[in-house]
Amino acid sequence: MQITNTTDYAHRIIDYLSEKGNLATEAELADNLKIPIRNISKIMNILKNNNLINSEMGFNGGYFLAKNPERISYFDVISATESSMNLNKCLERNGVCSRNCIETCNVRKVLLKVQEDINQNLKNITFENSFNPSEIIEKRYLLLKVDLNSLDMNIISIKSKFSDLFNNYMTYDEFLYKFINHCVSKKDRDRVKSFLIDFKNSEKYYQDSKVNYRSEDGKTWMDLDKRIDDTQMVLRFKSYEYIYENQDKT
């Protein structure tokens, strides 16, 4: 998948308006962003129709953002300018499969997971983040297996700061208490807890589910995945955090 020039120009325009915080004319955008003037009107109409920008008519008029930069994500812009963001036609809402096996195709399951990760990452990066190119994303990973009969827990893989919180001597109930209270924002605790204990009431022998949460400050977010069979559950936690990297290092 490769974005079009229209999307590239749209990202530049939103970024410019975010940083300027004021009106900008088509001529100003074309000159400062090196975008052909003939393309500006078309792009601005697309962005306006998708409620990303507004315009003000008159001698001193121009274009400005329809919402704060932190409420506009890269996903919003790409969704507005691209006809499709999906990696394959089988991932479309009315997906087409030459073998008629959309529900069982292993290739599609892999592509769907990749697509979900791409979409979520684009949603998590806003144009407020673009002001700080010195920020980097730290990733944390945790993979664990839970015996559904005994609720014994086994950590398969653990990286970064998670290792300070969890260990293999914990029961799953102990893990839940610590994870919910230390790693989940208050507004998301009930939803995430329900996701993590859903196996107790499930009649399914197999599940492949996902939930996302973000912290109150919008700087940390996490993807949670689970797979369940009749005897065990495997959980994967991927956490991301923006960390300011000091450029004055010596």
Side-chain angles (χ1 to χ4, degrees):
M1 179 179 69
Q2 188 174 70
I3 62 174
T4 61
N5 283 339
T6 297
T7 299
D8 180 37
Y9 296 156
H11 276 121
R12 294 190 217 174
I13 290 168
I14 296 293
D15 189 59
Y16 183 86
L17 293 175
S18 298
E19 192 165 6
K20 184 176 183 182
N22 206 338
L23 294 172
T25 64
E26 290 188 3
E28 177 185 346
L29 293 169
D31 183 56
N32 283 278
L33 301 177
K34 308 307 177 188
I35 299 174
I37 189 68
R38 64 181 181 274
N39 295 96
I40 296 289
S41 294
K42 174 186 174 183
I43 295 170
M44 301 317 260
N45 284 333
I46 293 173
L47 297 177
K48 191 172 182 179
N49 289 337
N50 283 273
N51 301 313
L52 297 177
I53 66 166
N54 280 325
S55 61
E56 191 171 299
M57 306 301 291
F59 180 75
N60 293 317
Y63 296 97
F64 59 97
L65 294 184
K67 56 186 81 174
N68 291 332
E70 65 268 20
R71 294 180 56 205
I72 303 177
S73 71
Y74 277 63
F75 181 86
D76 295 331
V77 175
I78 297 175
S79 297
T81 55
E82 296 289 339
S83 59
S84 175
M85 296 176 60
N86 289 322
L87 296 171
N88 197 358
K89 60 185 179 182
C90 68
L91 301 179
E92 301 288 350
R93 179 170 297 180
N94 298 317
V96 176
C97 177
S98 61
R99 296 190 299 155
N100 294 318
C101 60
I102 283 181
E103 298 301 324
T104 58
C105 178
N106 289 329
V107 174
R108 182 180 183 276
K109 289 179 181 179
V110 172
L111 292 178
L112 180 60
K113 179 64 179 67
V114 172
Q115 186 73 60
E116 289 173 346
D117 287 345
I118 291 173
N119 291 350
Q120 189 59 47
N121 287 335
L122 289 171
K123 289 177 182 178
N124 288 329
I125 300 175
T126 71
F127 283 84
E128 180 189 39
N129 305 146
S130 299
F131 300 158
N132 300 300
S134 56
E135 286 182 340
I136 60 173
I137 297 179
E138 179 191 61
K139 298 181 180 180
R140 315 173 190 177
Y141 299 91
L142 175 63
L143 183 66
L144 58 88
K145 181 168 62 177
V146 181
D147 185 303
L148 297 183
N149 294 318
S150 64
L151 291 187
D152 288 336
M153 188 183 76
N154 178 32
I155 295 177
I156 301 172
S157 176
I158 189 167
K159 294 183 180 180
S160 192
K161 297 179 182 179
F162 278 135
S163 56
D164 298 331
L165 289 173
F166 311 118
N167 58 66
N168 264 325
Y169 299 102
M170 304 173 69
T171 65
Y172 185 58
D173 284 339
E174 290 171 333
F175 166 82
L176 280 178
Y177 176 81
K178 204 165 190 179
F179 177 76
I180 294 295
N181 286 282
H182 288 269
C183 301
V184 182
S185 57
K186 291 181 179 179
K187 64 184 177 63
D188 290 326
R189 285 178 182 172
D190 289 340
R191 179 169 59 88
V192 173
K193 184 176 181 179
S194 296
F195 175 81
L196 293 174
I197 64 174
D198 180 57
F199 69 91
K200 294 182 179 180
N201 301 312
S202 176
E203 296 179 355
K204 297 180 180 178
Y205 285 100
Y206 179 81
Q207 290 183 330
D208 190 355
S209 305
K210 182 173 182 175
V211 66
N212 301 286
Y213 78 80
R214 295 190 66 174
S215 59
E216 284 90 346
D217 61 6
K219 293 295 184 181
T220 306
W221 67 95
M222 179 175 285
D223 294 335
L224 312 181
D225 294 287
K226 70 178 176 185
R227 291 176 178 268
I228 297 176
D229 60 25
D230 57 340
T231 60
Q232 69 179 19
M233 173 172 62
V234 176
L235 291 164
R236 180 177 61 174
F237 304 76
K238 292 194 300 181
S239 180
Y240 309 82
E241 182 174 359
Y242 277 97
I243 305 294
Y244 182 76
E245 187 178 62
N246 191 342
Q247 293 183 326
D248 298 327
K249 292 180 180 178
T250 57

